[in-house]
Amino acid sequence: MKTSASTSASTSWSSRIGFILSAAGSAIGLGAIWKFPYTAGTNGGAVFFMLFLLFTVLIGLPVLLAEFYIGRKSGKNAVDAFRTLAPGSQWPWVGRMGVAACFVLLSFYSVVGGWVLNYVVHAFSGAVHPGADFGALFGATIASPANALAYQAIFMLLTVAVVQGGIAEGIEKANRYLMPALFILFLVLAVRSLTLPGAMKGVEFLLKPDWRYLNPQTMLIALGQAFFALSIGVSAMITYAAYLGRDQDVFRAGNSVMWLNLLISLLAGLVIFPAVFALGFEPGQGPGLIFVVLPAVFMQIPFGRLLFGVFMVLVSFATLTSAFAMLETVIASSIRDNQGKRRSHTWLIGTAIFIVGIPSALSFGAWKELTFFGKTVFDLWDYLITAWIMPVGALCIALFTGWCQQKTDVLQHMREGSSAASALPALWLAALRYLAPLAILLVFANTLGWI
């Protein structure tokens, strides 16, 4: 029997693959394509990737499955899910925190999404060309108030246009096209990058461990990347899983989402590092890798302008699919199963998110002097969400599912529709109860500079 949130075809996933592609789309965003390559580049490449893989499997996946449990078992939005599973308690505040986090996160994420869209235009308009000063171009792009706000607005319009259509007709339909396109374009670019003279140095950097980088700091950074790579901690996966039927195999779905995310991270590395090494650049360039270094790399490759344009198009795909999940988390909590309100609420909330994001968009130009605790508005929101709300949210989800729900009920529910080995649910729950909270506390402490 399906949950109450998924009894209507218009408010449920039409297929398992639709859910997997959409959940993977939520996870595969700038974290996989932008943050993973530059973080790997500054932390030893292969050792970092190995640790990231290990921590994603052992820690990220258990928390992801916990969000699937909460969403599917309750069949409700992020707030009502906790109210349903723990009536009369304070646990719904975890859902409220997740909804608020998605609202704020999308307000500044849409700014970066706007930069990506702007770079698509740069690529095809000729602004990206051999000999250009790419540092100056990026600086001008993010400092221009008109550009920043216009492209942020376009990004939000695209997000709202999809989410207003609901689950099957909006989010799922978009992801059915965007996610396969993302993988195909990445494969094409990876093949081109790998055929450059000297490209194997980049492959070795990504896949051949240099054990000098195996240290506590690299382990903690890799743990943090694994933790954030799956979109856990802000109730987005609770929201998506609420539309999932009881006949679906959540273990298989979780594994698929995790491996798709890891594959995109690997492909991003295979696109970027071979080209970087083949053309004499350094891998440890930091956050400017995509916007400043990669244009220079592509300009030295035949058909470089076209290939860079294609690369930015697929980055925009990944950015949008994550934005869909953030906005849907807020919308689902607002309409509370009343699909008649979806269109109007999506436009109203989307507009509110854009307005709240204006100070973030102006943080690199007109309002760059406006700071709080030494941080611009953009940096402040980013710090509050990633250093505080996401770790706390994920910790609460692990504790709620692992310790506050009846163990037998949790295991029984997770076995519904599952073809997994009989021991797997018990192993998952053990990892969720012990490994995940300890790892999240370590990431939290490291982010705050306590260790």
Side-chain angles (χ1 to χ4, degrees):
M1 179 179 177
K2 291 189 175 185
T3 63
S4 60
S6 49
T7 54
S8 167
S10 64
T11 59
S12 64
W13 306 107
S14 65
S15 66
R16 182 173 66 89
I17 191 65
F19 168 72
I20 289 171
L21 289 175
S22 297
S26 170
I28 298 168
L30 290 175
I33 297 176
W34 172 55
K35 188 177 180 183
F36 171 77
Y38 85 70
T39 307
T42 54
N43 290 280
V47 167
F48 176 85
F49 181 58
M50 178 189 69
L51 292 170
F52 168 61
L53 173 65
L54 181 67
F55 293 145
T56 299
V57 174
L58 294 180
I59 296 156
L61 180 59
V63 179
L64 174 69
L65 289 170
E67 293 207 20
F68 283 2
Y69 161 79
I70 295 169
R72 191 179 73 162
K73 178 71 180 292
S74 66
K76 299 292 183 181
N77 62 74
V79 178
D80 289 337
F82 288 97
R83 188 178 288 123
T84 299
L85 298 180
S89 71
Q90 297 300 311
W91 283 107
W93 282 102
V94 177
R96 294 186 186 102
M97 182 174 64
V99 171
C102 283
F103 185 100
V104 174
L105 181 56
L106 187 52
S107 76
F108 68 84
Y109 190 88
S110 61
V111 174
V112 183
W115 300 346
V116 173
L117 293 179
N118 202 347
Y119 262 73
V120 173
V121 175
H122 284 337
F124 292 107
S125 67
V128 173
H129 59 83
D133 185 339
F134 295 114
L137 177 63
F138 182 56
T141 298
I142 66 176
S144 168
N147 265 18
L149 291 174
Y151 282 98
Q152 179 201 5
I154 293 170
F155 184 86
M156 283 305 304
L157 281 171
L158 291 171
T159 305
V160 167
V162 170
V163 174
Q164 70 165 349
I167 293 299
E169 293 303 313
I171 295 171
E172 182 176 350
K173 184 175 287 186
N175 278 295
R176 277 183 176 272
Y177 293 102
L178 292 180
M179 291 308 295
L182 179 71
F183 283 99
I184 291 168
L185 290 174
F186 250 130
L187 284 171
V188 170
L189 287 175
V191 169
R192 182 66 192 93
S193 187
L194 289 168
T195 55
L196 293 171
M200 287 304 106
K201 290 182 180 178
V203 177
E204 286 183 12
F205 176 77
L206 184 62
L207 299 179
K208 185 178 179 181
D210 181 345
W211 299 109
R212 292 176 299 172
Y213 287 94
L214 184 58
N215 56 58
Q217 186 65 17
T218 302
M219 293 177 70
L220 285 170
I221 294 171
L223 189 58
Q225 177 67 15
F227 170 61
F228 294 117
L230 291 174
S231 280
I232 53 179
V234 291
S235 299
M237 293 302 185
I238 292 176
T239 303
Y240 270 13
Y243 304 113
L244 194 62
R246 297 288 183 95
D247 57 338
Q248 299 294 331
D249 188 334
V250 288
F251 285 101
R252 181 176 294 179
N255 268 297
S256 299
V257 171
M258 178 191 70
W259 288 114
L260 286 173
N261 188 60
L262 288 169
L263 177 59
I264 281 291
S265 296
L266 175 61
L267 286 174
L270 291 176
V271 169
I272 293 169
F273 292 124
V276 166
F277 275 87
L279 298 171
F281 289 87
E282 290 296 322
Q285 296 287 339
L289 191 64
I290 282 183
F291 296 109
V292 178
V293 177
L294 274 191
V297 170
F298 275 102
M299 290 311 101
Q300 298 187 39
I301 301 173
F303 306 106
R305 285 192 202 178
L306 174 62
L307 291 174
F308 180 70
V310 170
F311 180 80
M312 293 313 296
V313 167
L314 68 87
V315 174
S316 69
F317 287 178
T319 311
L320 281 166
T321 54
S322 293
F324 298 159
M326 296 177 211
L327 184 56
E328 176 61 24
T329 301
V330 182
I331 299 303
S333 296
S334 174
I335 64 176
R336 299 186 70 178
D337 295 339
N338 186 346
Q339 294 300 317
K341 296 179 179 179
R342 173 173 286 275
R343 189 176 298 272
S344 60
H345 280 229
T346 304
W347 281 102
L348 286 171
I349 291 171
T351 302
I353 290 171
F354 169 75
I355 293 170
V356 171
I358 289 174
S360 294
L362 300 179
S363 289
F364 303 90
W367 290 4
K368 65 181 178 182
E369 302 300 327
L370 179 64
T371 60
F372 300 90
F373 309 105
K375 299 180 184 293
T376 64
V377 175
F378 183 99
D379 290 335
L380 180 65
W381 283 135
D382 186 20
Y383 174 74
L384 288 174
I385 297 296
T386 58
W388 288 88
I389 294 179
M390 291 184 80
V392 170
L395 179 61
C396 289
I397 287 164
L399 294 176
F400 176 78
T401 306
W403 294 99
C404 296
Q405 294 287 283
Q406 289 291 331
K407 181 178 178 179
T408 52
D409 291 345
V410 172
L411 292 175
Q412 180 182 348
H413 177 82
M414 293 299 281
R415 289 189 176 107
E416 289 187 34
S418 175
S419 59
S422 57
L424 185 60
L427 287 172
W428 158 72
L429 191 57
L432 185 69
R433 286 179 134 197
Y434 302 106
L435 270 182
L438 177 61
I440 293 168
L441 287 172
L442 284 173
V443 172
F444 191 41
N446 181 62
T447 304
L448 297 177
W450 293 347
I451 57 174

